[in-house]
Amino acid sequence: MKTGPDIARIAALIGDPARANILTALMSGKALTATELAAEAGVTAQTASAHLARLETGGLVTQSRQGRHKYTRLASEDVAHLLETLMGFAAGAGHLRTRPGPRDPELRRARVCYNHLAGDMGTRMYDSLRARGYLHHDDTTLTLTDSGHRFIATLGLDVTRLPSPRTPLCRDCLDWSERRAHLAGRLGRGLLTHIESQGWAKRVSGTRIVRFSPAGTAAFDSLFPAP
């Protein structure tokens, strides 16, 4: 096929082990330096910089300078969505890079997927919203219903003021550990911010883990009861 999107180029960028590790580290949603990403990838800082240049040219990451340091983050939520989908496919096919470690259960329970909640608690939130008719999914689109708008308003969230207006309000994202959907988009980001602002959970430094307190777990279960 000589016309159409060049998926081979993107696949080659992601397929390199060092670059794959770099992209996975950026799934935390944080902007990281080349030195930090070199440690994640297991390469020298010079090699990491070369990888980052290729990833930026390919539209997968964006870099910005602040003071003496240059910081890298994923280029968009679309990139995060693509990576999470690939992780789900790899996990489902049995392609795991390492054996599960001590933090694996926490990572599977609740983690950050770029800027929204993933893992068991992320899929439970998504299922609860759908079961109560707050989210509606047709063949192609996930939408927030009228009752969903009213529910979100009770949390003090104004959907018209959520960040990144060009990003869809709602979208489903395949969860790599649960192999079911969790909620992404501006609403997914807003709900994770709400959970953190209420003090129910906090991110574990240096990881993608979101750790809920006992009181936070109880509040989450009350707000998003299992269907």
Side-chain angles (χ1 to χ4, degrees):
M1 180 176 173
K2 297 183 179 180
T3 60
D6 185 2
I7 63 173
R9 182 185 180 200
I10 299 300
L13 286 171
I14 298 173
D16 177 87
R19 290 195 291 271
N21 285 337
I22 286 171
L23 293 169
T24 300
L26 293 173
M27 285 290 284
S28 67
K30 294 181 179 179
L32 301 175
T33 66
T35 300
E36 292 169 322
L37 291 170
E40 292 285 345
V43 298
T44 66
Q46 183 177 8
T47 299
S49 294
H51 283 308
L52 291 172
R54 293 189 64 183
L55 290 170
E56 184 174 36
T57 301
L60 295 174
V61 305
T62 181
Q63 299 187 78
S64 60
R65 185 170 292 279
Q66 187 172 347
R68 294 183 302 164
H69 298 288
K70 182 181 285 188
Y71 290 89
T72 302
R73 64 174 66 247
L74 294 183
S76 68
E77 188 168 328
D78 285 335
V79 177
H81 183 70
L82 170 64
L83 295 173
E84 186 78 1
T85 301
L86 287 172
M87 290 177 190
F89 182 84
H95 301 302
L96 302 175
R97 294 184 300 171
T98 61
R99 296 175 61 185
R103 290 190 167 184
D104 189 66
E106 280 197 288
L107 196 66
R108 289 172 179 270
R109 182 172 187 257
R111 67 179 180 277
V112 174
C113 175
Y114 186 54
N115 59 17
H116 51 269
L117 184 65
D120 172 68
M121 298 190 81
T123 57
R124 280 199 287 140
M125 180 172 72
Y126 177 90
D127 290 344
S128 180
L129 291 170
R130 286 199 62 185
R132 288 181 287 169
Y134 297 157
L135 293 175
H136 174 72
H137 201 303
D138 59 23
D139 291 339
T140 58
T141 307
L142 183 69
T143 57
L144 185 66
T145 64
D146 290 342
S147 60
H149 275 276
R150 291 191 291 271
F151 171 73
I152 295 302
T154 66
L155 305 180
L157 295 178
D158 183 349
V159 297
T160 65
R161 296 189 176 185
L162 292 175
S164 305
R166 288 179 293 180
T167 300
L169 177 62
C170 305
R171 67 185 301 176
D172 48 11
C173 183
L174 178 64
D175 194 286
W176 73 258
S177 59
E178 294 297 304
R179 302 177 202 170
R180 295 184 289 119
H182 60 244
L183 179 63
R186 287 183 288 130
L187 182 58
R189 178 178 185 172
L191 286 172
L192 177 57
T193 299
H194 177 75
I195 287 167
E196 293 178 306
S197 68
Q198 295 299 304
W200 298 350
K202 62 181 180 180
R203 305 185 194 193
V204 178
S205 179
T207 76
R208 294 174 60 194
I209 293 170
V210 177
R211 184 175 292 161
F212 280 75
S213 67
T217 299
F220 180 92
D221 290 343
S222 177
L223 192 63
F224 304 106

